């Protein structure tokens, strides 16, 4: 006999709207602030009064419009064409064709799909490769894993942190479908030698994608504000596609990005179309099918509101903040700025005691913890393949007035961090971890390692992250990825 489902309600009784909104506001109080210029990662704050309200109203006006079918909702096509036209004009190719996406990851995923399908159908490559510098965003590896493309990773210059154009050229083969350059790379904020990489790709008949998710909107306006910016966009011969996030330095709400292709023929390989089912004929330019037009509308509204002069002024404010921050960091004893930051991103490491001291991971992470105690969030980045661990900062116009306070607190926090006991990993534990096969670990073993790392049951985080991150830094990548996957799984649980 079938059993009756338990008589349990999925939801509590309905509550007044004011109560629901009050609970949401209370939940936000535990988050890092997204406005005010004290969170130096994940958020892009123009610091302009009324901009958030404009974006919210524009979103609300189009929240119920389905972006799936522009023949039913022609406003979708109008808004997207306006946006793509503006982005194409800004980035060196007025005739380029593009698509509005949900963010940089989706733009990159679609760029890799287009290159894979173009390589298969036009060049007859059955096992395409993706050639990318070690500093290329993790989203390219995600795209390669999703789409069955083989990633070929090329080490970068250890001093400049830029892609090595000669090494990239040497990595190209007859199977290369797509070559990647960053403008700038996220980790260090430096611009790769785009012209040289694109020329090498073109010489082998491969496509070249520039990941300008961060820099695509600010670099042209930095140039207009009088800064030197080396060519990086679709004006560079050999560049065939480019991604730019409007929810970064265009200050639209997340998620809003654009993928540009040099022409419609290349863009066609990005699309998915299917007529082999009894429902409506499907053609999707993006990974998503149904999607609210609200995000498109708010991005359109923000761009139209700020305009050329507005973005030029905002870029100048970011450049000013960057100048002052870099000057202060370089004047701080034991701090080394990595590379030549070009577009609002700065990474620095902290050196241990003594002449010619090496980057000190424990000191760096103690510094991050101390800064968080003082109300600042600086993003820790662990060591990788000989590249030093560092703290990453994203500068926005809202940080201009915060730079002096940040530097003052940084000096205080660094003094405290130097007085703390170094955090180390037991060599025996590191040796044991290196011998573990992450694929063979069972749930109990994973839980034990997570508990040892300080990432215990319930997904809670310890008050200080230095002990956790020092251990993670010592683990092999495969084990690190397995533990992080399990930890995030513990955060999202019912």
């Amino acid at each position: 006999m079938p059993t009756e489902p338990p008589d349990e309600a999925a939801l509590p009784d309905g509550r007044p709207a004011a109560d629901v909104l009050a609970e949401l506001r209370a939940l936000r109080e535990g988050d890092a602030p997204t406005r005010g210029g004290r969170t130096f990662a994940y958020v892009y704050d123009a610091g302009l009064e009324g901009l958030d309200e404009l974006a919210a109203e524009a979103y609300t006006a189009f929240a119920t419009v389905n972006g799936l079918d522009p023949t039913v909702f022609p406003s979708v096509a109008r808004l997207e064409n306006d946006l793509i036209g503006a982005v194409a004009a800004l980035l060196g190719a007025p005739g380029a064709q593009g698509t509005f996406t949900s963010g940089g990851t989706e733009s990159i995923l679609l760029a890799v799909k287009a290159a894979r399908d173009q390589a298969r159908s036009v060049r007859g490559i059955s096992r395409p490769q993706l050639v990318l510098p070690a500093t290329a965003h993790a989203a390219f590896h995600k795209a390669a894993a999703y789409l069955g493309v083989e990633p070929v990773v090329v080490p970068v210059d250890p001093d400049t942190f830029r892609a090595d154009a000669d090494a990239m050229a040497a990595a190209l083969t007859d199977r290369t479908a797509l070559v990647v350059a960053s403008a700038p790379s996220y980790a260090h904020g430096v611009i790769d030698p785009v012209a040289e990489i694109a020329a090498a790709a073109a010489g082998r008949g491969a496509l070249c994608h520039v990941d300008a998710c961060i820099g695509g909107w600010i670099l042209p306006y930095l140039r207009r504000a009088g800064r030197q910016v080396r060519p990086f966009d679709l004006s560079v011969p050999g560049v065939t596609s480019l991604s730019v996030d409007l929810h970064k330095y265009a200050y639209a709400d997340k998620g809003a990005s654009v993928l540009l292709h040099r022409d419609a023929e290349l863009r066609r390989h990005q699309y998915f179309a299917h007529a082999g089912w009894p429902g409506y004929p499907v053609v999707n330019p993006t990974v998503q099918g149904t999607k609210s037009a609200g995000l498109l509308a708010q991005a359109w509204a923000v761009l139209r509101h700020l305009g050329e002069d507005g973005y030029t002024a905002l870029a100048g404010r970011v450049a000013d903040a960057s100048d002052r921050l870099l000057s202060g960091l370089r004047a701080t004893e034991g701090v080394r700025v990595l590379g030549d930051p070009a577009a609002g991103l700065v990474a620095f490491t902290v050196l241990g005691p003594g002449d010619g001291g090496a980057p000190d991971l424990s000191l760096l992470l103690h510094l991050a913890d101390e800064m968080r105690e003082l109300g600042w969030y600086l993003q820790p980045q662990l060591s990788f393949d000989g590249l030093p661990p560092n703290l990453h900062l994203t500068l926005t116009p809202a940080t201009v007035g915060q730079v002096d306070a940040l530097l003052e607190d940084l000096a205080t926090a660094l003094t405290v961090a130097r007085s703390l006991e170094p955090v180390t990993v037991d060599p025996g534990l590191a040796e044991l971890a290196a011998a573990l096969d992450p694929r063979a670990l069972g749930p109990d073993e994973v839980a034990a390692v997570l508990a040892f790392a300080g990432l215990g049951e319930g997904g809670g985080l310890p008050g200080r992250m230095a002990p956790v991150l020092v251990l993670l830094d010592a683990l092999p990548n495969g084990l690190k990825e397995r533990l992080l996957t399990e930890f995030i799984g513990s955060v999202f649980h019912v």
Side-chain angles (χ1 to χ4, degrees):
M1 294 286 294
T3 58
E4 291 293 325
D7 188 16
E8 295 181 4
L11 292 169
D13 290 339
R15 298 161 54 198
D19 291 352
V20 174
L21 292 173
E23 184 173 353
L24 285 175
R25 284 190 288 269
L27 287 172
R28 277 286 288 121
E29 291 177 2
D31 295 340
T34 59
R35 294 294 181 259
R38 295 180 72 90
T39 301
F40 280 77
Y42 303 121
V43 298
Y44 293 80
D45 182 3
L48 297 178
E49 186 176 351
L51 195 62
D52 288 341
E53 290 76 13
L54 169 67
E57 289 192 33
Y59 181 93
T60 299
F62 280 78
T64 59
V65 173
N66 191 341
L68 174 65
D69 192 343
T71 68
V72 177
F73 303 103
S75 61
V76 172
R78 163 65 191 277
L79 293 175
E80 181 155 337
N81 286 339
D82 284 351
L83 270 184
I84 300 304
V87 175
L90 184 70
L91 294 171
Q97 300 298 316
T99 303
F100 181 81
T101 77
S102 65
T105 294
E106 187 177 18
S107 290
I108 286 168
L109 186 73
L110 292 168
V112 175
K113 178 196 180 297
R116 182 199 67 177
D117 291 1
Q118 191 264 1
R120 287 176 174 174
S121 63
V122 176
R123 299 171 59 201
I125 299 174
S126 60
R127 295 183 298 124
Q129 292 178 327
L130 169 66
V131 175
L132 65 163
T135 49
H137 197 280
F140 288 99
H141 295 272
K142 184 177 184 178
Y146 279 13
L147 297 167
V149 176
E150 179 188 347
V152 177
V153 180
V154 181
V156 300
D157 185 294
D159 296 318
T160 67
F161 306 98
R162 300 172 70 210
D164 183 330
D166 291 338
M168 293 283 288
L172 304 182
T173 72
D174 291 339
R175 293 171 52 202
T176 302
L178 185 66
V179 184
V180 174
S182 302
S185 62
Y186 179 83
H188 305 106
V190 300
I191 299 176
D192 288 335
V194 172
E196 294 90 335
I197 292 171
R204 296 299 294 260
L207 302 182
C208 178
H209 180 82
V210 173
D211 174 16
C213 286
I214 293 168
W217 200 259
I218 191 172
L219 287 171
Y221 288 107
L222 284 172
R223 187 183 290 129
R224 292 180 185 188
R227 302 289 172 137
Q228 293 293 317
V229 176
R230 61 175 61 95
F232 71 94
D233 55 20
L234 284 164
S235 67
V236 177
V239 173
T240 54
S241 61
L242 180 145
S243 49
V244 51
D245 287 357
L246 303 181
H247 59 224
K248 292 190 169 73
Y249 285 109
Y251 308 107
D253 285 343
K254 299 179 184 297
S257 180
V258 166
L259 172 62
L260 284 181
H261 294 280
R262 183 166 291 280
D263 55 46
E265 179 60 22
L266 288 174
R267 184 184 61 176
R268 179 177 63 82
H269 296 286
Q270 161 197 321
Y271 284 20
F272 171 81
H274 187 73
W277 75 308
Y280 60 91
V282 170
V283 56
N284 296 147
T286 63
V287 175
Q288 298 180 88
T290 291
K291 53 190 175 184
S292 170
L295 287 170
L296 172 64
Q298 61 86 24
W300 183 94
V302 169
L303 265 65
R304 287 298 179 100
H305 175 62
L306 293 177
E308 291 287 302
D309 290 344
Y311 281 115
T312 302
L314 290 170
R317 296 188 69 192
V318 172
D320 176 65
S322 181
D323 288 346
R324 291 162 57 203
L325 178 64
L326 289 171
S327 177
L329 289 174
R330 288 169 176 150
T332 303
E333 183 180 357
V335 169
R336 177 163 70 92
V337 174
L338 303 183
D340 183 18
L345 304 187
V346 173
F348 70 92
T349 194
V350 180
L351 307 180
D355 293 335
D360 188 323
L361 175 66
S362 174
L363 178 58
L364 183 85
L365 297 177
H366 274 322
L367 175 61
D369 281 338
E370 291 301 317
M371 288 297 285
R372 197 156 191 171
E373 289 288 327
L374 294 172
W376 305 93
Y377 178 74
L378 312 184
Q379 187 176 49
Q381 299 186 139
L382 302 180
S383 58
F384 173 77
D385 197 25
L387 304 181
N390 59 83
L391 295 182
H392 176 278
L393 297 91
T394 299
L395 295 164
T396 69
T399 62
V400 172
Q402 298 280 17
V403 169
D404 292 341
L406 172 72
L407 289 169
E408 183 177 344
D409 281 350
L410 187 73
T412 301
L414 190 53
T415 298
V416 175
R418 286 180 172 134
S419 72
L420 299 176
E421 191 71 22
V423 180
T424 59
V425 176
D426 180 82
L429 176 63
E431 184 178 354
L432 174 64
L436 292 175
D437 181 355
R439 297 167 298 180
L441 294 178
D444 292 341
E445 294 165 308
V446 170
V449 178
L450 281 174
F452 185 85
L455 302 174
E457 186 175 347
L461 288 173
R464 295 183 70 88
M465 289 300 296
V468 175
L469 295 176
V470 165
L471 177 60
L472 283 177
D473 190 75
L475 297 179
N477 282 342
L479 181 58
K480 194 182 303 182
E481 291 165 355
R482 174 71 193 278
L483 294 180
L484 290 172
T485 300
E486 295 296 335
F487 169 66
I488 292 299
S490 74
V491 171
F492 294 103
H493 68 96
V494 295

